[in-house]
Amino acid sequence: MVLARELNLEETLEIARQLEGTMEVQVQVHGITNIYHSKRSLLQNYKEHQGRFETISREELSKEEGLFLIEQERPNERFPVYEDENGTHIMSSDDMCMLDSLHELMEGGVDSMKLESLLKSAEYNEAVIRSYRKVIDAYTVDPAGYEFQEEWLDEIRELQDPNRELSYGFFFKEQVY
């Protein structure tokens, strides 16, 4: 089961506990998050509506400095817009990074952790994989003696886009319905 990214850590661990032994649980632990999706090509349709019939290049839509939205209420947050053959996607303004809390998910029975690589360079993605591998290996070798090492985050921070904050997503937020 792929859990919603809006769940907090407590809810995630409770679901993993209830499904233990019956169904594997996957959560996203790193990267950009898709916050809106339309199967329509909204950007291309908008350009055509304006009478501009040139197509938007895939490179223009996939690079980090490509297209983005800015809300009036939050002018310092940029929401990347990505469009492909599946439609239009609006992405989160920050990148999730659960590296220092990954052991809590492992202890809690989460079976699979997704590292989202969309809109990132190969160099960045390789650094992320190396860092998460270090945490997983260190925890697996000695769960009782495991201690997070801050330098495991250094390579990610060095390559992180300065316009995109590393955050915990919803993992440590209380949801009010």
Side-chain angles (χ1 to χ4, degrees):
M1 174 180 290
V2 178
L3 298 186
R5 292 163 180 94
E6 295 82 7
L7 295 173
N8 64 33
L9 183 61
E10 185 179 313
E11 293 165 326
T12 298
L13 296 178
E14 177 60 22
I15 291 169
R17 186 189 64 72
Q18 289 182 18
L19 294 176
E20 188 174 8
T22 61
M23 189 177 294
E24 291 185 0
V25 173
Q26 180 189 79
V27 297
Q28 180 179 336
V29 295
H30 194 93
I32 197 166
T33 302
N34 191 336
I35 61 174
Y36 172 81
H37 172 74
S38 173
K39 290 189 176 189
R40 295 174 289 176
S41 298
L42 299 176
L43 299 174
Q44 191 64 48
N45 291 344
Y46 179 70
K47 281 182 114 175
E48 289 173 9
H49 175 73
Q50 291 179 320
R52 299 168 43 206
F53 293 98
E54 74 276 8
T55 58
I56 301 172
S57 73
R58 191 161 178 83
E59 292 77 32
E60 182 181 9
L61 290 170
S62 64
K63 61 184 180 181
E64 287 186 30
E65 287 302 315
L67 303 173
F68 56 89
L69 294 175
I70 297 176
E71 293 180 319
Q72 187 172 4
E73 301 82 31
R74 297 183 276 183
N76 296 328
E77 290 190 52
R78 297 169 11 149
F79 297 86
V81 179
Y82 173 74
E83 193 167 279
D84 61 13
E85 61 277 354
N86 297 311
T88 305
H89 316 272
I90 300 176
M91 311 306 278
S92 60
S93 62
D94 58 5
D95 288 327
M96 184 187 307
C97 180
M98 289 293 291
L99 191 68
D100 60 349
S101 299
L102 196 64
H103 66 286
E104 294 180 61
L105 293 167
M106 294 172 69
E107 285 171 7
V110 172
D111 302 288
S112 175
M113 288 150 290
K114 179 179 180 176
L115 307 174
E116 180 56 75
S117 62
L118 188 63
L119 302 179
K120 297 295 182 186
S121 68
E123 179 185 23
Y124 179 89
N125 290 325
E126 289 169 5
V128 167
I129 291 167
R130 276 191 299 274
S131 297
Y132 278 83
R133 181 82 261 162
K134 288 175 188 174
V135 170
I136 292 167
D137 290 346
Y139 178 79
T140 303
V141 167
D142 183 14
Y146 172 80
E147 194 171 310
F148 180 75
Q149 305 296 314
E150 197 64 35
E151 66 263 12
W152 292 336
L153 253 173
D154 290 346
E155 192 175 8
I156 294 172
R157 286 185 179 134
E158 286 174 22
L159 297 170
Q160 182 66 24
D161 179 348
N163 294 319
R164 295 187 59 78
E165 183 180 329
L166 290 174
S167 78
Y168 293 109
F170 290 97
F171 277 107
F172 296 107
K173 291 181 182 175
E174 174 109 16
Q175 295 299 317
V176 179
Y177 301 101

